[in-house]
Amino acid sequence: MAVIHQTTMVPTKVELLASWLPTRSWYRGSARPVLERTGGFRLDDPDGEVGIEFMAVTDTSGAEPVTYQVPFAYRGGPRDGAENALIGTSMHGVLGQRWLYDGTRDPVVVAQILALLGGTARPQAQHASATVDESVTVTTPDIAVPTLKSEPVVEDGSARTDIMVGAQVPGSTAIVRVNRVLQPGDESSDRAGAGHVTAAWQLPDGTSVRGVFLSFDGHVAS
């Protein structure tokens, strides 16, 4: 399991996101977000090479706070051909320079999302090593979740990112939906039996809320 180091990152992940978020199609705030880290969880890379974190950050720069989800891939070196997915680089106090990518474009992250939805990976605590996060709820779909066999196709929308992978039904595509704009109280997927992952985050007043971070739809005509 991943080891969480109690150390510094310069710049911090939140500082990197303050520059990156306004460039996204699903960002709803101003050019200068005011961000606070408000929730999330981690997954383990079985090979121990890529750090995987699903971070919730709340932007209070607008009239109403908005919480966004960003899956991170932390790598020890640049990933070839992934320049468009780079959020930024940071100096880690223990591990040295890290390359931080949007995890929806990273095959290691996508493979572990599929494993999580399929019930073969466990959500890990965001701030503790080797600790399962029991607060994260995984509802597995009624159909088998495929494994990742090729580079996924990714599309950003106004509130979510869709990751399209090969399904086990000929002529269809499996879609993992990453909710970028988190909605409190939303604890079901778009389609009954599709499977989803629910987790918690905090509102600016300290209230803990829950909503769907990830969902899976396995029989979409391609």
Side-chain angles (χ1 to χ4, degrees):
M1 291 187 175
V3 176
I4 309 302
H5 299 280
Q6 303 302 319
T7 186
T8 58
M9 291 187 69
V10 182
T12 67
K13 288 170 273 191
V14 170
E15 288 170 338
L16 290 175
L17 288 178
S19 298
W20 183 77
L21 278 177
T23 68
R24 303 299 97 189
S25 63
W26 36 267
Y27 179 67
R28 300 180 178 183
S30 67
R32 294 185 178 181
V34 178
L35 301 178
E36 182 178 358
R37 183 169 169 163
T38 52
F41 60 94
R42 291 177 178 262
L43 292 176
D44 282 332
D45 170 16
D47 294 330
E49 295 295 326
V50 179
I52 305 171
E53 180 179 6
F54 298 80
M55 183 185 291
V57 291
T58 299
D59 179 19
T60 57
S61 64
E64 297 291 337
V66 180
T67 300
Y68 301 96
Q69 178 192 183
V70 180
F72 276 105
Y74 307 110
R75 288 180 171 268
R79 180 174 170 249
D80 291 342
E83 293 80 9
N84 291 339
L86 183 67
I87 295 173
T89 61
S90 180
M91 187 60 66
H92 189 280
V94 175
L95 302 175
Q97 190 168 11
R98 301 283 99 182
W99 280 255
L100 282 69
Y101 291 95
D102 177 8
T104 65
R105 270 80 176 172
D106 192 294
V108 173
V109 177
V110 173
Q112 290 313 298
I113 290 175
L114 292 169
L116 177 66
L117 286 161
T120 59
R122 299 290 303 278
Q124 303 296 310
Q126 196 172 23
H127 304 297
S129 301
T131 303
V132 174
D133 190 338
E134 301 288 356
S135 71
V136 179
T137 301
V138 180
T139 301
T140 56
D142 292 342
I143 61 173
V145 176
T147 57
L148 186 65
K149 297 180 180 179
S150 60
E151 194 79 14
V153 176
V154 184
E155 291 184 358
D156 287 321
S158 61
R160 67 193 185 195
T161 296
D162 283 353
I163 306 170
M164 284 148 280
V165 298
Q168 294 181 349
V169 176
S172 67
T173 298
I175 295 181
V176 174
R177 292 196 161 109
V178 179
N179 287 334
R180 295 296 199 164
V181 179
L182 297 176
Q183 300 293 338
D186 174 16
E187 294 201 44
S188 62
S189 63
D190 291 344
R191 183 177 64 80
H196 53 280
V197 177
T198 303
W201 69 95
Q202 281 196 330
L203 298 179
D205 65 3
T207 302
S208 180
V209 294
R210 297 181 62 83
V212 172
F213 277 52
L214 308 164
S215 62
F216 175 81
D217 196 335
H219 292 307
V220 178
S222 57

